Amino acid sequence: MAFEKLREGLQGAINNLKKAVVVDKKVVRDYLKQVQKALLSADVNVKLVVDLSKKVEDRALLEKPPGMLSRKENLIKITYDELTSLLGNGGELVMQDGMTMMLVGVQGSGKTTTAAKLAAFYKKKGLNVRLICADTFRPAAYTQLQQLAKEISVPFYGETEEKDTLKIIQNGFKHFKSKGFTIIDSEGRHKLDTGLMEQINMISKEVSPDRTLLVLDGTIGQTAGEQAQAFNDSCSINGIIISKLDGSAKGGGSISACATTNSPVNFIGVGEHIADLEVFEPVRFVGRLLGMGDIEGLLEKAKEVDFDEAAAKRMLSGKFNLEDVYQQIQQMQSMGSMDKLMEMMPFGAKIPKDLVAMQQDKIEKFKFVMDSMTTQEKEDPSIVKRERIERIAQGAGTDSSDVRDLLNYYKRMKKMMKGAGGGKKLNRMIKQFGMG
Ligand code: GDP
Ligand code: MG
């Protein structure tokens, strides 16, 4: 696996962090040292690693954890955030029939192989894909792509005698009469020479492909960044494909170096076979490195709890009905942590513990109770006296004490909201909650 070592290193750091009792400066630093080590051994540039750890450290020590996250969990989430942003915005390129994609890059970077991989990838998506070989520089290029195209049953066009690549491409478009998605495998040179750039620029102008992607050899590590920059400067590329990341310990270097050039890495090549192409999505990629299960859980917990604005407004104004209260009870249950709840509620500190830690079966009963109440009763529970209580309990199949408990709960809430004071203070609160 391409990033197995990096994954092990990062997850090792996380596992050690989990054992820590408190999150103080020392714990954060020890954790970051391990993260740094993992990144450096994956060839990520030292400066990028230092910048990243500084950012993570600052945020971990200063930020208030969002949502329900503990400080420890937030440290992992921050690592995830920063690693993701280090790797830029990649992701799938959506193409369609009628469009053209041109691959550029130096010789041996993996263009021809990648052209076939991409053809198979987009064919699977239902596109009418065809391949054009526009490499007249390398004698074997024609047969190489022709064979690959045959292997994946994709129409192929190329010419063995013609030396003018532009002419070949134009003939290719004439040859394919139907509307389709065309992938052009362009020529490469031994090294980055101006001749190659001029050639690409010229073809680019004439053909105007919808996407020009640079194919880079991932085994060159950080140096990939320089190549990406050079191509970016002299001919405009839309994205990058990094090949040969299978088994290369330098994958972290090439990906992060390219990300700093502002060209997204859209795909990575992870083997010589047609299927060895992966869409590169930093978010998913980093998620996998850090442990997908962990990350998904953290992101879920990091979400700020949604308040039903209208209901919250009614609560704050003291004009709430039983349905609103019921919703509050449910919300408190799903929020789980008492401390967090106290921070969030404007008068939270005054909510008695027994109201927050209500049993689930009790809440279920409340639901039945409310179902057998009339709208009028729910709007104004004060009208619910003894006979009504009996009737409701019977209808709900619960005890009359359950009905009383719910009514009691409502009364206490009402009192609490009043206690919070109306008028200016309340208006200020409403504004503060963005509900004004
Ligand atoms: P081009 O000169 O840019 O067209 O490069 P080629 O497509 O001919 O690839 C050069 C060599 O790299 C070939 O031997 C390919 O099999 C190999 N290659 C390309 N992509 C990958 C990859 O993702 N992993 C591995 N291991 N080899 C690759
Ligand atoms: Mg080639």
Side-chain angles (χ1 to χ4, degrees), residues 314 318-325 370 373-384 388 407 410 414:
R314 281 197 299 277
K319 286 183 214 122
F320 50 89
N321 59 28
L322 215 48
E323 296 271 7
D324 294 326
V325 168
M370 286 206 304
M373 288 172 88
T374 64
T375 312
Q376 199 196 0
E377 286 165 348
K378 280 189 279 192
E379 283 300 326
D380 182 12
S382 70
I383 63 169
V384 183
R388 290 195 190 224
L407 292 170
Y410 174 82
K414 194 108 182 161

Side-chain angles (χ1 to χ4, degrees), residues 111-112 135 138 141 144 185-186:
K111 279 185 307 304
T112 304
D135 183 357
R138 201 169 158 210
Q144 189 192 357
D185 176 23
S186 76

Side-chain angles (χ1 to χ4, degrees), residues 106 108-113 117 138 144 244 246 269-272:
V106 298
S109 58
K111 279 185 307 304
T112 304
T113 315
K117 286 177 179 178
R138 201 169 158 210
Q144 189 192 357
K244 308 183 199 179
D246 43 315
V270 291
E272 292 186 69

Side-chain angles (χ1 to χ4, degrees), residues 4 19 47 81 89 93-94 125 157 168 242 274 281 294 320 325:
E4 199 54 40
K19 290 181 208 138
K47 189 181 173 306
D81 289 346
N89 329 295
L93 290 171
V94 179
K125 303 234 161 216
Y157 186 84
I168 299 178
I242 303 182
I274 294 290
E281 279 169 293
D294 270 11
F320 50 89
V325 168

